[in-house]
Amino acid sequence: MYNTGSGGHASLKELKRLFSEASIEITEHIKVEQGFEATLKRHITKGTTIAVVGGDGTMSNISHLLKDTDATLMPIPGGTLNHFTKDLGIPQSIPEALQYFKAAKKTKIDIGQIDGKTFINNSSIGFYSDSLFEREEHEKKYGKWPAMIASTV
């Protein structure tokens, strides 16, 4: 799984190269976009390890699909802030994260839900979450950081 909308995204070509150099076999590349869930479901039902390159939002969305299954999340930092992967002690560069996972052991993590929405490292209410909704309205026109500044103001 890869999200080209995440803040620090790498191209698919670059990701393929990095995974290959780390000797990690990828069976299918799935872009996080509308309708990706149906494609991902085939892998989830097989209990596959799902490598996810993205930020905290991407990780939460994919975690929602993986909860209560035998599939395993392999979170690769590829977003703007990557709080989730930092909290887990995963190196923040993609090549270092891939090397980390070659020796990592599976572990269970806690997830939370509010109104059916899964979250894995935090959930926000109030001013911050309002500013995120505002940012999304301006992001395509101005870019992430200018939109964040405008939404905060």
Side-chain angles (χ1 to χ4, degrees):
M1 300 296 313
Y2 65 103
N3 185 356
T4 58
S6 290
H9 76 277
S11 69
L12 178 57
K13 182 179 179 181
E14 178 72 1
L15 290 173
K16 286 179 179 182
R17 183 185 65 76
L18 293 171
F19 275 80
S20 177
E21 287 175 0
S23 300
I24 297 175
E25 180 186 356
I26 300 296
T27 57
E28 185 171 2
H29 303 89
I30 304 170
K31 183 177 178 181
V32 177
E33 59 187 2
Q34 189 169 358
F36 77 90
E37 297 90 348
T39 304
L40 181 59
K41 194 172 226 171
R42 290 194 319 259
H43 300 284
I44 293 171
T45 58
K46 294 177 186 176
T48 304
T49 296
I50 310 295
V52 179
V53 180
D56 293 328
T58 303
M59 298 300 167
S60 285
N61 288 332
I62 302 301
S63 294
H64 177 76
L65 299 171
L66 299 183
K67 70 180 177 69
D68 301 323
T69 73
D70 291 329
T72 302
L73 172 69
M74 179 161 80
I76 308 295
T80 304
L81 300 175
N82 303 307
H83 293 297
F84 178 64
T85 55
K86 286 177 185 174
D87 289 347
L88 293 174
I90 297 168
Q92 294 302 291
S93 78
I94 293 174
E96 290 176 12
L98 294 173
Q99 290 305 314
Y100 168 87
F101 278 110
K102 289 178 74 173
K105 294 182 180 179
K106 288 183 185 181
T107 186
K108 291 190 180 251
I109 60 167
D110 294 329
I111 62 168
Q113 279 191 291
I114 296 176
D115 291 332
K117 177 77 172 159
T118 299
F119 62 94
I120 52 175
N121 63 325
N122 64 43
S123 180
S124 300
I125 60 172
F127 174 76
Y128 178 70
S129 59
D130 289 345
S131 71
L132 291 180
F133 288 120
E134 183 79 19
R135 182 194 80 197
E136 288 176 0
E137 290 182 26
H138 302 292
E139 194 169 332
K140 288 183 180 161
K141 186 173 181 181
Y142 301 112
K144 188 172 206 164
W145 292 112
M148 179 58 92
I149 291 167
S151 69
T152 302
V153 171

